[in-house]
Amino acid sequence: MKLPFAKMQALGNDFVVLDGVSTPLTLTAAQCRKLGDRRFGVGCDQILVVDPAPDAQADFGYRIFNCDGSEVGQCGNGARCLARFVERQGLSTARAIQVATRTTRMNLELLEQDWVRAELSRPEFQPARIPLDVPAQAERYTLDSPVGMVSGGAVSVGNPHFVIEVDDVARAPVQQWGEALTRHAAFPEGVNVGFVERVAADHLRLRVFERGVGETPACGSGACAAAVIQRVWGHTEARVRVDLPGGQLRIAWDEGQNVFMEGPATWVFEGEIEL
Ligand SMILES: N[C@H](CCC[C@H](N)C(=O)O)C(=O)O
């Protein structure tokens, strides 16, 4: 079938975005892998599908597939791109929409230039809701892994994140530790692994080894997770600037609140692929 798509990116985290509203769309894992293939397909980190609203509260459904074909429940950078896609495709004239995924829901608001504000639901720290198989909830967990004992914080922002504090992100063992931890048995659904350096109480540096992808230039949910964990540890203020290799996101969160993220969402090109 001929499939129209948009190619979009957010700080270099890139996406194939599909309209499942105008034409109902089902995708197999193999089709997602082809779309994500940077030689035999379009090439992207994630495939995003906007769907009709699943309930009266939401304006649209939002499906997310990593380029390995796995379907997941959150993509923060992708959500900002989805809001821009919905506007550009004329699927909505509203400045603010609510989208629902298989695990969570977000309010998205178009800002000036190509920036978008995303309001994510309250972070989940209960192990069962991350999910994380440990005997008790804690601010820090120490995992025995192929790279030794590794400590970090764990949280879900609609997808699972393990956040490790490092002195210098530039020298962090992202590939080696990311590969060793993303499929750690303690995380039954896998996990995104963040490496965060605290520059100041309002400034973090972050690199993320993404579940189902590997290291990406930016991870929106990872930036939210790192900001939340650093706040829980008492290291940061409620508003922080998060510098990732691909650029900067602005995150705001305080205990018991939803998480707010602001950042760009950029249209690159549109096309059609035989799938
Ligand atoms: N790899 C993630 C999904 C994409 C997250 C990232 N691209 C973002 O911007 O949040 C997972 O398996 O949960």
Side-chain angles (χ1 to χ4, degrees):
M1 73 174 165
K2 282 193 181 303
L3 185 66
F5 67 86
K7 183 74 191 307
M8 299 185 75
Q9 60 87 12
L11 306 180
N13 186 200
D14 64 342
F15 309 104
V16 166
V17 191
L18 305 170
D19 173 0
V21 174
S22 310
T23 312
L25 188 60
T26 55
L27 287 172
T28 65
Q31 288 173 322
C32 289
R33 284 191 291 272
K34 175 170 180 184
L35 286 167
D37 193 304
R38 296 187 185 283
R39 292 192 182 281
F40 298 100
V42 180
C44 63
D45 293 324
Q46 279 88 26
I47 296 91
L48 314 177
V49 185
V50 58
D51 289 315
D55 56 43
Q57 288 73 40
D59 298 292
F60 296 98
Y62 171 29
R63 274 181 289 160
I64 303 127
F65 301 86
N66 287 313
C67 57
D68 70 348
S70 59
E71 184 172 0
V72 294
Q74 177 59 286
C75 178
N77 283 329
R80 301 197 316 275
C81 288
L82 196 93
R84 195 55 74 192
F85 176 82
V86 158
E87 176 210 29
R88 181 161 172 151
Q89 297 301 93
L91 297 175
S92 170
T93 57
R95 296 291 296 169
I97 59 172
Q98 180 177 106
V99 300
T101 79
R102 65 190 318 194
T103 60
T104 187
R105 57 186 62 222
M106 283 169 281
N107 295 316
L108 305 172
E109 182 186 356
L110 300 174
L111 303 176
E112 297 311 308
Q113 272 87 35
D114 63 354
W115 276 54
V116 179
R117 177 183 294 124
E119 177 183 8
L120 285 69
S121 299
R122 282 168 51 173
E124 287 287 355
F125 299 97
Q126 290 178 44
R129 299 180 68 87
I130 293 177
L132 170 61
D133 288 343
V134 289
Q137 181 174 330
E139 285 192 4
R140 292 172 193 270
Y141 301 96
T142 299
L143 304 178
D144 188 359
S145 79
V147 293
M149 305 300 280
V150 181
S151 292
V155 64
S156 173
V157 288
N159 58 348
H161 289 267
F162 186 57
V163 179
I164 301 163
E165 188 163 64
V166 296
D167 295 332
D168 177 358
V169 281
R171 298 198 347 263
V174 175
Q175 187 62 29
Q176 185 195 15
W177 287 27
E179 277 180 348
L181 295 167
T182 193
R183 285 269 165 265
H184 192 283
F187 291 95
E189 295 176 8
V191 69
N192 301 282
V193 187
F195 300 80
V196 65
E197 173 189 344
R198 181 165 32 105
V199 179
D202 64 349
H203 184 191
L204 300 174
R205 288 198 186 102
L206 177 69
R207 291 170 67 186
V208 181
F209 186 99
E210 286 199 31
R211 176 178 61 171
V213 183
E215 183 174 6
T216 57
C219 178
S221 57
C224 294
V228 163
I229 291 294
Q230 284 285 318
R231 182 77 174 144
V232 165
W233 290 348
H235 294 168
T236 49
E237 297 160 2
R239 292 175 176 280
V240 289
R241 188 180 102 200
V242 181
D243 286 340
L244 300 114
Q248 182 182 119
L249 291 172
R250 298 203 189 112
I251 312 294
W253 178 72
D254 225 340
E255 199 78 29
Q257 306 291 314
N258 288 349
V259 191
F260 291 84
M261 164 173 54
E262 291 184 6
T266 307
W267 184 280
V268 183
F269 66 90
E270 58 191 330
E272 199 172 74
I273 183 169
E274 190 66 44
L275 205 54

